[in-house]
Amino acid sequence: MTLKTMNGAPAGASRRAFLSGGAALAGLAVATPRAFARASDRIEGLLAQMTIEEKAGQLSCFADMIRPPVGDMNPLVNIRNAQTLTAELQAGRIGVLMNGVGAQAALETQKTAVEGSRLKIPLLFAADVIHGFRTVFPIPLAEAASFDPHLAERTARAAAIEATASGLHWTFAPMVDVARDQRWGRVAEGSGEDVFLGEVLAAARVRGFQGKDLKADDSMLATPKHFAAYGAVTAGLEYNSVELSEATLREVHLPPFQAAFAAGAMTVMSAFNDVNGVPATANKRLLTDVLRGEWGFKGVVISDYTADQELVAHGFAADDRDAARLAILAGVDISMQSGLYIRYLPELVASGAVPLAVVDAAVRRVLALKEAIGLFDNPYRSLDPKAEAYHTATPAMRALSREAGARSIVLLKNDKTLLPLPKAGKRLALIGPFADDRDNVLGAWGGFFADRRLNVDLASGLRAQLADPASLVVERGCDVEAMIAGGFERAVAAAQGADIVLLAVGESQDMTGEAKSRTDIRIPPVQMRLAEAIAATGKPVVVLLRHGRAIQLEGVVRDAPAILATWFLGSEMGNAVADVLFGTVNPSGRLPVSFPIDSGQEPFFYNGRTTGRPAPADPNAQEYKARWRSIRNDALYPFGFGLTYTRFDVTDMKLSTPRLEWNDTLHVTAKVKNSGDLHGEHVVQLYIRDRVASRTRPVRELKGFQRVSLAPGAEREVRFDLKRQNLMFVGDNDYWIAEPGVFDVWIANSSVDGLTAEFELLPAG
Ligand code: NOJ
């Protein structure tokens, strides 16, 4: 990965360009696939023949289908029986079916739509393929810790290959919501708290899902979601309101969407939340003025699940009919699951409440999407039951899951070089509710389509690599939130008989994901008591943390000599953790979210602003500063942090010039040396700070990173390029601007350290 290069708006650029946000300024113009440039004759021909019911049908997506949808994913609403559904498909009253899978069932369903309906318009099959399908990869947050967009692209490609083989055309992923409050459960589904990392990974995942050719059998349409600012729900409470300045919306929450569109995403999902009082799903300013007007997005907007109907509960629509009207007028093309469009659009158009042209424009976009992936020419593309068997859970998929898992692990602590462990000669006790648990390796989304037979638990993964598998004893000790009879006693006895304890504690996958907000982000009390009992044996403890968000580490867990952040790593979790524990893989992950000292610091993120009374370095120095009574307002483990089994020295930071001309490029270089004994990879990070600006600026902002792979003793120079466009921010009147002045720049190992220098951005001309 190299530093984002930006082409930039010329001085005096139009308001539209300025308003277009960081990513658009980055030269990431929204891609307009040819299919969307102009509606084809075929589409115009269809439109001319369609009744208003058939039009509303194309704009309706349902989770109930002939092939049963996966339960538990969403509240079950509006479910009908197979007979009714067949009749509706034949009447052309449905355009998209979601969350049911299987090539054979899809084939039959498609036949019903194509051969049984008047206009023979094929269905789109969609699903939440978030981080793998049958083979599951690390949760997106874990994968973000790899700081490796190439990896994210490969896992998304692999997921698309499996999912399309099972009859799908479209995934509701990637989730690109920037999440700055770890209480929110859906932190697990995104790329964490940083904008730049979020942009890079959003683009990589879109490229991965869609592949190079949209018409290929294994290409899967991507949907960045949830538009917009869902990650900013107040207090991290799921579905809560969002109150956000225009500048923060544009600087923090919108750029990953722009990056996804620039990478070719042709659909987007509107969010559940409101933004400053206007629900996202009825938000004309966001869905039409910004998305289509400013950014030129030509693709399809789909609502989140019943989000249009929820406008009534928001107190924004008077009733369901009003909700349908508001959603379509705001720019929602497809209504997901509520059925409001099929129920109300015909009458809304007949009464003149919704212009026919608005409906026609939405239908054109949906048909263009179907045309873009070749569905009209071959409605049975991707619907080959033989391919399904061939492409599912292959050894290559599993190998990728294992590799991705190991690369997502972050080594937080390794006192006295306790790790890596030898594969022979030590007695190990693996203790904790996740020790041999196979139900909590995949993460919140992983369970739906996964082939759970593939799941590798920790105990199996470790035993497979130990010279003597009997040198590992396993005791759960307790459940995730409850005691097990005799569990503590057995666990303590196991620890006493061991040389080293591996303590697998943390959150269950049920404690993360949608609708799983937590008021505090600690390890459940029963597990802490277990940890205390184990620590009291005096044996060295390696913590294997299971989690879908940053966790507040406390007490004996925080103080253990070694800690690995192992997230939910997917099908190969046990093997991936063993690879890192035994040093087959040298850990190189970096935190994509800050670990606070205390839950009460949330929302906590590295790139906040200083305030007028920043906390002094000495906690006793002075009162009346921006700090808590009990703790410093620092991270326990900051964004970007992660250790390795070797040692990297970063030296010789140099700037090509201390004075950056308005239209010039500044090169920032440094040397990275592997001074340890093992091969390893280092993530070099570049941060900036704008010292004085017309709006107060973050204490640091990530602007680039590079992964450097070095043999022991080897050294390499890294180079980052900085342009004026990397220094821009949203100023007064919501314009993106760059201001001349002094900037700090760091080449760092995390968001709180590094070598530093300063330079000046000179005025234009
Ligand atoms: C609700 C979730 O918010 C969204 O991410 C998902 O795609 C839909 N349900 C469909 O399952």
Side-chain angles (χ1 to χ4, degrees), residues 119-138:
L119 294 174
K120 308 190 182 320
I121 301 177
L123 291 164
L124 273 170
F125 294 118
D128 291 289
V129 179
I130 311 292
H131 52 107
F133 186 64
R134 302 299 190 206
T135 313
V136 176
F137 303 106

Side-chain angles (χ1 to χ4, degrees), residues 619-683:
N620 302 314
Q622 220 185 340
E623 286 188 329
Y624 301 103
K625 296 292 179 189
R627 65 179 188 211
W628 306 101
R629 281 184 67 226
S630 48
I631 54 160
R632 291 176 51 80
N633 193 21
D634 290 336
L636 181 65
Y637 293 109
F639 174 89
F641 178 80
L643 300 172
T644 160
Y645 295 152
T646 184
R647 205 185 92 206
F648 290 101
D649 292 319
V650 182
T651 56
D652 284 342
M653 178 181 183
K654 289 200 182 97
L655 305 190
S656 56
T657 168
R659 294 154 71 80
L660 172 61
E661 301 275 355
W662 192 246
N663 287 320
D664 219 342
T665 304
L666 170 69
H667 307 302
V668 186
T669 55
K671 288 191 179 132
V672 185
K673 181 170 184 187
N674 182 347
S675 318
D677 302 328
L678 292 169
H679 183 277
E681 291 188 25
H682 187 55
V683 179

Side-chain angles (χ1 to χ4, degrees), residues 368-520:
L369 189 66
K370 293 183 174 184
E371 190 167 63
I373 68 164
L375 269 190
F376 286 109
D377 295 326
N378 178 13
Y380 303 110
R381 68 149 264 187
S382 315
L383 305 182
D384 174 3
K386 278 194 254 70
E388 184 167 15
Y390 182 74
H391 287 299
T392 301
T394 60
M397 296 281 177
R398 299 213 303 276
L400 178 60
S401 174
R402 180 171 182 163
E403 178 193 341
R407 291 175 79 77
S408 301
I409 292 172
V410 186
L411 177 62
L412 295 179
K413 195 174 178 191
N414 194 16
D415 285 356
K416 301 199 188 118
T417 324
L418 184 56
L419 299 178
L421 300 177
K423 290 184 180 173
K426 293 274 183 220
R427 293 166 304 159
L428 304 177
L430 175 60
I431 293 171
F434 304 106
D436 57 356
D437 166 273
R438 300 179 72 238
D439 296 330
N440 287 287
V441 299
L442 300 180
W445 278 109
F448 294 108
F449 304 118
D451 181 345
R452 295 180 197 205
R453 291 167 304 179
L454 304 176
N455 293 10
V456 181
D457 61 274
L458 290 181
S460 311
L462 293 174
R463 282 203 179 105
Q465 294 200 33
L466 283 168
D468 174 10
S471 61
L472 180 78
V473 292
V474 178
E475 282 295 344
R476 285 199 179 193
C478 64
D479 282 336
V480 176
E481 292 185 279
M483 301 283 287
I484 300 176
F488 276 32
E489 291 76 7
R490 287 195 298 276
V492 168
Q496 277 160 345
D499 301 312
I500 297 169
V501 176
L502 308 172
L503 188 64
V505 289
E507 302 178 302
S508 65
Q509 62 188 33
D510 268 4
M511 295 165 74
T512 75
E514 185 177 346
K516 300 293 160 52
S517 296
R518 298 185 62 194
T519 49
D520 74 45

Side-chain angles (χ1 to χ4, degrees), residues 73-74 98-99 128 130 172 186 189 225-226 230 239 269 272 304-305 336 445 514:
M73 250 173 166
N74 293 289
M98 62 177 258
N99 282 352
D128 291 289
I130 311 292
F172 299 139
R186 300 195 82 168
E189 289 177 55
K225 66 185 188 186
H226 306 81
Y230 186 29
Y239 313 126
M269 186 184 291
F272 286 130
D304 203 339
Y305 193 93
M336 185 195 287
W445 278 109
E514 185 177 346

